């Protein structure tokens, strides 16, 4: 029997600053050539497992360990982080934080330079590994000139220079659009086949990771391994939902239709489902039952109108052009498209951070061209992806109150407004807490509260659920849905197609600075041409509906989403 390249033996770990262990009685073997997904909710311990494997624990994050951890047959605690880097290559979630060189070639060569490799040999090595990940035609580029997917390739090539035995990916899909995420999974699969290294992926986006086969899924909860099973066996059971992990959409749809999920169904990939004639009839029967109950949304009064908008950061390069759309009061709309499509630039123009070259932005029929950023902020709120980049006060109350203080509002009125806002956001019990005591999701609520306290008519959120597990994702989105139900108009810039489908009826699609479509969210992912142009990815519901002989995949998707939202009767 093969010797494991990674072996946890009744291993436990407690961070120095914490009162309780983060990992408890971990027993796990990873063998050469395996592909393993480590999944779990935020705080389950999965990232800590990764940090133990690559040596960040205990060398960067000290604490107390128990049991044994062997990496390539050696005690991890007795090896240096430098020695471990020759065995375990880590690709971080934030690829920008991993770049060292001024060019792609220099960055890939960094580890070889540290090893004092002769220059000619080093050049040959860089050519070889860059070819393995198909980035060899970009060696003279600066890293900032690359797309998100290309950056992933550079980071991967950089760790492959060492001919490592383990490749560890920490949430590799978090900052990528759907198509780039799919390409990344294909890249990891290709490198796995070419190198034979063991591959470990830590990721929330389960369905996206399963675009290519995984040998096992390790499911963690509260610092312990609660499941270590072949992919098909875990997907056929109920452990994922029991431990707060979202199962793939097509499996949920099959369950709603009454199809029994078994290993024989091959549930690990939608295109490999072994559906019987009876299974397909059940899906079609469920679809026809639900189809008649779809409710169409009625538009409210016009609130925001964008007309012939054009913008470029330099005169030579146009970032946005020919943008035309209207937002109505009370809508909740997704803005989607590939990385660099112009989505965030659009938000900056609406908020007044940038000024258009031509075109107009009207609010309730009035042109905002002459308004200052401060004047626009009273009507249009902008919530950044990372709450830590927005929060400037140590205490929750002070952070939420700050904009009102700057506006000169009397203290009594401020107090009443802040209390009301904190109650709306579910933060009133924590009003005297320090921000540092909050979870990421709670900090997100604080940033929303600091915008909401100004009573804006529109709230724009940039990637509201990035990096969140299913529990925290649902918590944030249900909160935003509640705000929307109270009349707030919400625009969300997102790469998350599940979010778009589940929470918004409408989506505006961008690609390369142009608006491709303004349509229903369901239509976006059921139109192959639009999916390709916008660098998105068809939903698995689309594939399932075609496999079952349903000729209207868009309507099938609407039925599924409507049923989940309890809007279909």
């Amino acid at each position: 029997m093969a010797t494991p390249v990674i072996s946890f033996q009744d291993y436990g770990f407690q961070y120095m600053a914490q009162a309780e262990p983060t990992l408890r009685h971990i027993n796990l073997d990873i063998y050469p050539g395996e592909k393993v997904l480590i999944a779990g909710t935020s705080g389950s311990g999965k990232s800590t497992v990764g940090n133990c494997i690559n040596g960040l624990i205990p060398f960067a994050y000290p604490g107390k360990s128990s049991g044994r951890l062997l990496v390539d047959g050696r005690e991890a605690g007795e090896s240096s982080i430098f020695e471990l880097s020759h065995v375990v290559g880590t690709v971080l979630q934030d690829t920008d934080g991993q770049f060292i060189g001024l060019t792609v070639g220099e960055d890939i060569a960094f580890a070889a330079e540290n090893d004092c490799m002769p220059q000619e040999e080093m050049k040959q090595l860089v050519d070889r590994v860059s070819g393995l990940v198909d980035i060899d035609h970009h060696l003279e580029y600066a890293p900032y000139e690359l797309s998100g997917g290309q950056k992933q390739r550079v980071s991967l090539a950089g760790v492959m220079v060492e001919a490592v035995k383990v490749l560890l990916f920490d949430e590799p899909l978090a900052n990528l659009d759907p198509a780039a995420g799919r390409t990344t999974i294909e890249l990891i699969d290709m490198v796995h086949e070419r190198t034979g290294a063991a591959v470990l992926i830590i990721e929330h986006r389960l369905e996206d990771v399963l675009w290519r086969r995984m040998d096992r899924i390790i499911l963690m909860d509260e610092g312990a391994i609660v499941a270590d099973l072949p992919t098909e066996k875990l997907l056929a059971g109920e452990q994922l939902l029991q431990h707060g992990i979202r199962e793939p959409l097509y499996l949920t749809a099959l369950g709603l239709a009454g199809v029994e999920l078994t290993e024989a169904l091959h549930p690990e990939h939608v295109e490999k489902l072994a559906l019987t004639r009876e299974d397909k009839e059940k899906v079609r029967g469920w679809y026809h039952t639900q189809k008649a109950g779809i409710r169409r949304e009625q538009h409210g009064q016009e609130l925001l109108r964008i007309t012939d908008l054009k913008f470029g950061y330099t005169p030579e390069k146009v970032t946005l052009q020919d943008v035309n759309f209207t937002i109505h009061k009370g809508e909740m709309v997704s803005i989607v498209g590939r990385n660099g499509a112009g989505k965030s630039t659009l938000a900056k123009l609406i908020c007044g951070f940038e000024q258009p070259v031509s075109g107009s932005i009207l609010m309730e029929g009035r042109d905002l061209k002459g308004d200052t950023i401060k004047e626009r902020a009273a009507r249009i709120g902008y919530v950044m992806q990372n709450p830590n980049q927005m929060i400037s006060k140590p205490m929750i109350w002070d952070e939420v109150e700050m904009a009102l203080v700057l506006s000169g509002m009397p203290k009594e009125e401020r107090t009443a407004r802040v209390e009301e806002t904190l109650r709306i956001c579910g933060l009133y019990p924590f009003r005297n807490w320090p921000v540092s005591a909050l979870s990421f999701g709670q900090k997100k609520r604080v940033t929303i509260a600091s915008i909401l306290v100004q009573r804006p008519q529109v709230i724009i959120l940039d990637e509201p659920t990035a990096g969140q597990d299913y529990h925290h994702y649902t918590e944030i989105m249900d909160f935003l849905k509640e705000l929307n139900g109270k009349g707030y108009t919400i625009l969300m810039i997102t790469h998350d197609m599940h979010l778009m489908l589940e929470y918004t009826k409408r989506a505006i699609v961008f690609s390369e600075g142009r608006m491709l479509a303004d349509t229903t969210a369901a239509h976006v992912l059921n139109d192959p041409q639009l999916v390709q142009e916008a660098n998105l990815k068809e939903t698995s519901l689309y594939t399932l509906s075609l496999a079952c002989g349903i000729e209207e995949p868009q309507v099938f998707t609407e039925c599924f989403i409507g049923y989940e939202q309890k809007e279909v009767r």
Side-chain angles (χ1 to χ4, degrees):
M1 186 175 178
T3 302
V5 65
I6 303 291
S7 181
F8 288 88
Q9 300 172 12
D10 198 33
Y11 186 83
F13 180 77
Q14 181 175 336
Y15 288 102
M16 187 174 291
Q18 294 191 353
E20 296 291 332
T22 298
L23 298 180
R24 308 167 188 271
H25 305 293
I26 302 296
N27 289 282
L28 173 65
D29 290 333
I30 306 293
Y31 292 91
E34 276 197 300
K35 282 179 69 185
V36 179
L37 170 63
I38 302 178
T41 59
S42 297
S44 63
K46 60 186 185 303
S47 293
T48 300
V49 165
N51 290 337
C52 291
I53 292 171
N54 62 21
L56 289 177
I57 291 176
F59 298 108
Y61 306 122
K64 180 180 179 182
S65 62
S66 59
R68 301 182 70 195
L69 169 57
L70 303 179
V71 177
D72 198 26
R74 297 182 60 184
E75 292 279 357
E78 297 176 3
S79 301
S80 69
I81 195 168
F82 175 74
E83 290 170 330
L84 288 171
S85 72
H86 289 279
V87 180
V88 182
T90 304
V91 178
L92 301 173
Q93 174 181 340
D94 178 13
T95 50
D96 289 327
Q98 199 160 350
F99 290 132
I100 299 295
L102 297 177
T103 68
V104 168
E106 289 177 6
D107 195 81
I108 296 173
F110 180 74
E113 285 186 305
N114 274 350
D115 291 340
C116 300
M117 182 179 290
Q119 192 171 64
E120 191 57 39
E121 184 181 345
M122 183 168 56
K123 287 181 178 179
Q124 293 176 4
L125 178 61
V126 169
D127 287 341
R128 183 176 66 82
V129 296
S130 62
L132 281 175
V133 298
D134 295 333
I135 201 67
D136 48 319
H137 298 300
H138 294 76
L139 294 180
E140 301 303 319
Y141 282 60
Y144 72 84
E145 295 180 293
L146 304 179
S147 69
Q150 289 170 330
K151 289 178 180 179
Q152 288 279 5
R153 292 172 186 267
V154 177
S155 295
L156 185 50
V159 299
M160 288 172 59
V161 163
E162 296 284 3
V164 293
K165 296 183 179 181
V166 179
L167 287 169
L168 173 64
F169 296 87
D170 185 5
E171 297 198 29
L173 309 182
N175 299 313
L176 300 180
D177 61 52
R182 178 177 61 189
T183 302
T184 296
I185 293 300
E186 291 171 349
L187 171 66
I188 293 172
D189 191 61
M190 177 189 72
V191 170
H192 173 255
E193 290 180 0
R194 292 181 180 181
T195 65
V199 169
L200 279 78
I201 301 177
I202 299 170
E203 183 55 69
H204 293 298
R205 290 162 61 173
L206 185 64
E207 182 171 331
D208 294 326
V209 174
L210 296 180
W211 177 248
R212 288 292 182 264
R213 175 170 175 78
M214 301 297 297
D215 296 313
R216 284 190 287 159
I217 299 178
I218 311 299
L219 184 58
M220 297 192 65
D221 193 15
E222 296 183 355
I225 293 176
V226 293
D228 178 357
L229 297 170
T231 303
E232 58 273 17
K233 188 168 185 177
L234 185 65
L235 292 178
E238 298 180 354
Q239 292 101 321
L240 288 175
L241 293 177
Q242 288 172 352
H243 295 283
I245 301 297
R246 171 128 206 194
E247 64 183 0
L249 289 181
Y250 61 91
L251 295 183
T252 304
L254 289 172
L256 291 176
V259 176
E260 184 180 0
L261 301 182
T262 65
E263 294 179 57
L265 186 65
H266 297 299
E268 62 272 19
H269 198 290
V270 65
E271 294 181 350
K272 296 181 180 179
L273 289 172
L275 295 169
T276 65
R277 179 182 296 179
E278 182 182 0
D279 292 335
K280 294 177 181 179
E281 288 176 354
K282 286 182 178 179
V283 173
R284 287 195 298 269
W286 178 86
Y287 162 66
H288 289 299
T289 299
Q290 304 301 327
K291 181 179 176 181
I294 294 178
R295 296 194 318 205
R296 300 298 177 185
E297 191 171 88
Q298 299 296 317
H299 289 309
Q301 183 181 346
E302 179 183 307
L303 179 60
L304 187 70
R305 178 181 288 272
I306 309 294
T307 305
D308 298 328
L309 199 65
K310 180 179 180 180
F311 174 78
Y313 287 101
T314 65
E316 300 79 20
K317 186 176 181 181
V318 176
T319 307
L320 281 176
Q321 58 184 325
D322 302 324
V323 178
N324 293 273
F325 63 86
T326 299
I327 302 296
H328 301 87
K329 288 185 178 179
E331 278 197 292
M332 193 167 180
V333 180
S334 290
I335 300 175
V336 301
R338 68 177 70 204
N339 294 86
K343 306 183 299 295
S344 295
T345 300
L346 173 65
K348 292 177 183 178
L349 289 167
I350 294 173
C351 294
F353 304 149
E354 301 286 352
Q355 294 299 320
V357 173
S358 60
S360 60
I361 302 171
L362 281 71
M363 192 92 170
E364 295 183 315
R366 189 178 71 84
D367 197 327
L368 299 180
K369 185 176 181 179
D371 289 6
T372 64
I373 292 176
K374 180 180 178 181
E375 289 170 335
R376 291 200 197 194
R379 308 181 72 186
I380 303 168
Y382 181 65
V383 181
M384 300 172 69
Q385 178 177 334
N386 185 348
N388 295 317
Q389 293 177 338
M390 288 186 68
I391 294 172
S392 58
K393 296 289 186 179
M395 304 300 292
I396 292 174
W397 181 281
D398 295 339
E399 178 65 28
V400 176
E401 187 186 33
M402 182 172 60
L404 303 184
V405 173
L406 294 175
S407 72
M409 181 181 290
K411 181 174 178 56
E412 186 175 334
E413 188 178 347
R414 286 202 315 264
T415 300
R417 179 82 68 87
V418 172
E419 286 184 351
E420 181 185 1
T421 303
L422 289 172
R423 286 192 172 94
I424 291 173
C425 295
L427 292 169
Y428 188 74
F430 313 107
R431 59 194 180 279
N432 296 319
W433 280 32
V435 173
S436 59
L438 301 181
S439 68
F440 186 92
Q442 288 171 324
K443 287 180 181 178
K444 197 88 170 182
R445 288 190 180 223
V446 170
T447 60
I448 295 172
S450 67
I451 296 298
L452 198 63
V453 76
Q454 301 174 69
R455 298 297 183 264
Q457 293 168 280
V458 179
I459 302 175
I460 303 174
L461 299 106
D462 191 356
E463 296 289 351
T465 60
Q468 298 294 293
D469 60 48
Y470 184 47
H471 171 74
H472 292 95
Y473 162 105
T474 304
E475 183 182 72
I476 290 171
M477 289 313 303
D478 285 350
F479 167 60
L480 293 176
K481 196 72 175 178
E482 285 180 22
L483 291 181
N484 181 240
K486 293 175 181 177
Y488 288 96
T489 302
I490 295 176
L491 306 182
M492 294 185 293
I493 299 169
T494 183
H495 287 137
D496 191 331
M497 297 299 99
H498 290 184
L499 180 153
M500 180 190 74
L501 282 172
E502 287 180 303
Y503 291 93
T504 61
K505 297 288 186 183
R506 178 182 167 201
I508 300 172
V509 186
F510 284 85
S511 179
E512 298 180 351
R514 292 184 178 272
M515 198 178 89
L516 296 182
D518 180 356
T519 183
T520 66
H523 178 257
V524 170
L525 297 185
N526 287 280
D527 183 334
Q529 182 177 348
L530 182 56
V531 163
Q532 183 177 2
E533 290 180 3
N535 220 40
L536 303 175
K537 181 167 68 73
E538 291 97 342
T539 172
S540 58
L541 298 173
Y542 172 83
T543 308
L544 176 62
S545 62
L546 294 183
C548 294
I550 295 171
E551 297 180 355
E552 298 177 298
Q554 175 183 330
V555 181
F556 177 78
T557 301
E558 290 175 349
C559 286
F560 174 82
I561 298 303
Y563 186 92
E564 284 217 316
Q565 295 176 337
K566 298 182 179 178
E567 292 181 0
V568 175
R569 297 291 184 263

